[in-house]
């Protein structure tokens, strides 16, 4: 009840940040006093006590013990306050009361607590603008806060966050007086020779920053702590029994909350919160894998590779060269088609969509010239719009005999050209190829073309179609035997997941050589509209912004960016797609599958009357959870529904 009343009062009295400057101006005051924590400074944790949770985990790992450090630390602070004649105690006084630990452990804990506090703190970005406005407008700035950390540590935290040019810090444990009793404000007013009415104080604590100073005649401004959850907060991961996962997700999610621009678009928020952690975790994992294998040359497979390479570059890995190479399933299949022994061999190599794949589709996929396509179609018995899979064995053989001479010529030439193109990037020896993933089709093809190379594949996710793969590959988020629940979530919407990383230019079609002898990639036309492409770019730029900004925190404390932590936001997003998500994704389509949308094009009533249409559209959709949400609207367990409906898919 006490907390409820407190929240009601805060909601009633708190001032929005965009009104603070006008309140300062209207007060006519020349002195502005700021609280520190949750005002000028934010911790990249959900609560102050989370520091002690992390301290407990690290202590027990470091000393190979199992002590309840969180409870012991809180008890030590309570005892220190009870045994002190002063209003506030210092960190040293708290640690003097710490029980069940040795002097060595006491020293380690104290130093580690200071280390964590310094590195988890960052500026409150919105309050930073108000602070700078005060400086530019000639306001004298004082900092007044209740805190047990030493004054020099508080000054370091403020300096690291970019707070300079304040006049003085009035700290409770330094002055042995607290805001909540009014004593700290009295000392500040006396030392500064100020009347209470000459000061504006800004803070987030109802009593210490608002009710008490206001009762003393100080112009007090109460602000919200802004502890609202992120768009895709995953409570299940935060409450994980695995403390390492829970602690590290707490850090990542809190960092997102503290650094997300409130004016960001829907796609920018998706990029920063969902894609950024995946991108960051993958790059950190990749660097470790490259070191383990002693690989010094890395090739990112475009189109998704452009985004991966930009993130990788921010890590500045020493001794590793890296390039983006333009490849695709289609462009790497062509150089191998001359090895085909049958029409089925050709179909297994080229990219075949789930749609009705006709003879005409197949001939175009093999990059035959139109005049040659016309010649072939004029002599075969089958209709060019017949589905290739519906042909009899006899028809397939006749078609293969007619097509193979043309395909062999193109394929041999493409083998020469792709080797020339990739050799321009020193594509030889022991190397790594990197991509978003799934079946490793491109790596398989490259290994067949460059049999002399030792190629390792490193993917975000991997789902092998065959029981055994001849290529060497690993994945960060999941594979057939690892994190199967993550696989279910990502593969419920693979088109959407790929879109997160996909560059907006066209896919690689084939390779050519110019008059100077230089090899280059011939690209298809872009698949998205200009408007959709801009949204994708905004999403990717926001993801890269996360990578750049999170790296500073990670460099200090080495966050364990495991797959569960990095995929947590996507899990929340894809298991419970929102109405807002459906609205924003409605315009996207994928032209490689006869132009289908991620979102259903008809209503629930339409599909009730036409169940076959529903099943057909569902099975052909590459973002099934989004499709189902757009039809059913309700907050249902869509991943489980997808597993059930897939039983009707005979081609699985």
């Amino acid at each position: 009840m006490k907390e409820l009343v407190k929240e009601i009062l805060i909601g009633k009295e708190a001032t929005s940040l965009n009104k603070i400057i006008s309140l300062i101006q209207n007060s006519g005051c020349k002195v502005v006093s700021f609280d520190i924590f949750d005002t000028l400074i934010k911790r990249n944790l959900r609560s102050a006590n989370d520091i002690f949770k992390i301290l407990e985990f690290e202590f027990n790992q470091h000393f190979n013990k199992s002590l309840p450090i969180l409870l012991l630390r809180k008890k030590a602070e309570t005892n220190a306050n009870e045994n002190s004649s002063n209003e506030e105690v210092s960190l040293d006084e708290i640690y003097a009361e710490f029980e069940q630990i040795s002097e060595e452990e006491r020293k380690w804990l104290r130093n580690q607590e200071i280390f964590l506090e310094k590195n988890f703190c960052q500026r409150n970005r919105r309050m930073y603008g108000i602070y700078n406005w005060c400086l530019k407008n000639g306001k004298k700035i004082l900092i007044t806060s209740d805190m047990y950390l030493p004054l020099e540590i508080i000054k370091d935290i403020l300096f690291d966050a970019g707070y300079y040019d304040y006049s003085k810090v009035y700290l409770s444990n330094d002055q042995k007086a607290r805001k909540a009793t009014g004593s700290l404000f009295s000392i500040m007013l006396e030392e500064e020779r100020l009347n209470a009415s000459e000061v504006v104080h800004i803070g987030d604590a109802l009593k210490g920053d608002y009710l008490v100073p206001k009762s003393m005649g100080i112009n007090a401004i109460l602000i919200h702590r802004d502890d609202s959850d992120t768009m895709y907060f995953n409570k299940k991961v935060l409450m994980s029994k695995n403390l390492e996962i829970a602690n590290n997700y707490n850090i990542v999610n809190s960092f997102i909350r503290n650094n997300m621009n409130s004016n960001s678009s829907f796609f920018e928020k998706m990029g920063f919160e969902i894609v950024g952690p995946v991108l960051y975790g993958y790059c950190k994992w990749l660097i470790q894998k490259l070191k383990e294998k002693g690989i010094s040359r890395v090739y990112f497979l475009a189109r998704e590779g452009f985004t991966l390479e930009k993130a990788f570059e921010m890590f500045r890995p020493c001794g590793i060269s890296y390039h983006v190479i333009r490849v695709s399933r289609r462009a790497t299949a062509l150089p191998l088609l001359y090895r085909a022994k049958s029409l089925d061999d050709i179909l297994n190599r080229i990219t075949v969509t789930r749609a009705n794949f006709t003879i005409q589709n197949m001939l175009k996929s093999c990059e035959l010239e139109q005049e040659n396509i016309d010649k072939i179609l004029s002599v075969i018995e089958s209709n060019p719009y017949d589905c290739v899979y519906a042909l009899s064995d006899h028809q397939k053989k006749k078609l293969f005999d007619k097509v193979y001479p043309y395909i062999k010529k193109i394929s041999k030439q493409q083998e020469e050209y792709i080797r020339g193109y990739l050799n321009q990037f020193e594509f030889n020896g022991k190397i790594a190829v990197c991509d978003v993933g799934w079946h490793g089709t491109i790596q398989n093809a490259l290994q067949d073309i460059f049999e002399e190379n030792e190629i390792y594949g490193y993917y975000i996710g991997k789902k092998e179609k065959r029981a055994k793969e001849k290529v060497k590959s690993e994945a960060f988020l999941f594979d057939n035997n690892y994190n199967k629940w993550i696989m279910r979530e990502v593969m419920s919407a693979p088109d959407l997941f790929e879109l997160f990383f996909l560059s907006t230019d066209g896919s690689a079609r084939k390779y050519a050589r110019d008059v100077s002898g230089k090899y280059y990639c011939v690209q298809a036309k872009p698949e998205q509209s200009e408007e959709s492409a801009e949204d994708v770019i905004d999403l990717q730029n926001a993801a890269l912004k996360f990578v750049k900004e999170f790296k500073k925190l990670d460099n200090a404390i080495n966050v364990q960016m495991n797959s569960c932590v990095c995929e947590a936001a996507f899990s929340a997003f894809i298991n419970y797609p929102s109405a807002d998500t459906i609205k924003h994704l409605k315009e996207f389509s994928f032209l490689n599958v006869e132009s289908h949308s991620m979102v259903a094009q008809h209503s629930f009533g339409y599909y009730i009357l036409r169940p076959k249409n529903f099943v057909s559209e569902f099975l052909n959709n590459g973002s099934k959870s989004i499709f189902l949400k757009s039809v059913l609207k309700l907050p249902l367990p869509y991943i489980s529904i997808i597993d059930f409906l897939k039983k009707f898919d005979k081609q699985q």
Side-chain angles (χ1 to χ4, degrees), residues 24 73 86 90-91 95 146 190 207 252 308 310 346 353 361 367 399 401 406-407 413 509 515 562 599-600 632:
I24 296 172
R73 171 61 177 78
N86 298 313
S90 68
L91 192 64
Y95 271 92
D146 289 342
E190 184 179 348
K207 183 180 179 182
V252 173
L308 301 182
K310 286 177 183 176
I346 291 175
T353 67
N361 294 148
E367 289 292 334
L399 178 59
D401 291 342
Y406 297 99
I407 289 178
Q413 184 187 62
R509 274 183 51 210
V515 292
N562 64 46
V599 175
L632 302 175

Side-chain angles (χ1 to χ4, degrees), residues 371-383:
E371 61 178 299
N372 291 330
I373 292 176
D374 292 339
K375 286 180 184 177
I376 293 166
L377 294 178
S378 67
V379 296
I380 64 171
E381 299 171 0
S382 306
N383 186 308

Side-chain angles (χ1 to χ4, degrees), residues 261-423:
N261 188 333
S262 59
N263 297 320
S264 296
S265 69
F266 170 83
F267 289 98
E268 287 170 330
K269 288 177 180 176
M270 279 184 68
F272 198 83
E273 186 172 352
I274 296 176
V275 186
V278 173
L279 203 51
Y280 192 97
Y282 169 75
C283 288
K284 193 172 179 179
W285 170 85
L286 173 60
I287 290 170
Q288 182 60 37
K289 291 296 178 182
L290 296 174
K291 288 178 180 177
E292 289 173 5
K293 292 293 184 183
I295 297 173
S296 60
R297 288 202 301 282
V298 182
Y299 299 88
F300 293 95
L301 310 184
R303 294 182 288 164
E304 291 90 338
F306 281 107
T307 304
L308 301 182
E309 187 266 348
K310 286 177 183 176
F312 188 77
E313 186 175 19
M314 293 181 191
F315 286 79
R316 302 185 181 279
C318 296
I320 298 175
S321 67
Y322 48 95
H323 304 277
V324 176
I325 55 175
R326 292 187 179 275
V327 291
S328 68
R329 287 185 291 271
R330 176 175 178 173
T332 54
L334 283 175
L336 296 166
L337 293 184
Y338 74 89
R339 305 184 190 186
K341 303 298 182 184
S342 67
L343 192 69
D344 285 335
D345 282 351
I346 291 175
L347 295 174
N348 287 334
R349 285 283 186 186
I350 62 178
T351 301
V352 178
T353 67
R354 295 189 57 81
N356 180 29
F357 199 70
T358 66
I359 295 172
Q360 179 100 336
N361 294 148
M362 186 198 73
L363 297 177
K364 287 185 176 181
S365 293
C366 294
E367 289 292 334
L368 271 67
E369 298 289 343
Q370 187 58 50
E371 61 178 299
N372 291 330
I373 292 176
D374 292 339
K375 286 180 184 177
I376 293 166
L377 294 178
S378 67
V379 296
I380 64 171
E381 299 171 0
S382 306
N383 186 308
Y385 299 105
D386 285 345
C387 176
V388 286
Y389 293 109
L391 299 177
S392 66
D393 290 342
H394 174 72
Q395 288 173 314
K396 283 183 179 180
K397 185 177 184 310
K398 289 196 72 173
L399 178 59
F400 176 76
D401 291 342
K402 295 291 184 185
V403 167
Y404 183 73
Y406 297 99
I407 289 178
K408 180 180 178 181
K409 182 179 179 181
I410 292 170
S411 180
K412 283 278 193 180
Q413 184 187 62
Q414 282 300 299
E415 184 179 41
E416 174 195 344
Y417 285 178
I418 192 173
R419 291 185 70 90
Y421 169 74
L422 292 180
N423 283 336

Side-chain angles (χ1 to χ4, degrees), residues 27-38:
S27 74
C29 294
K30 295 183 179 179
V31 178
V32 180
S33 166
F34 289 92
D35 172 46
I36 299 177
F37 290 93
D38 290 314

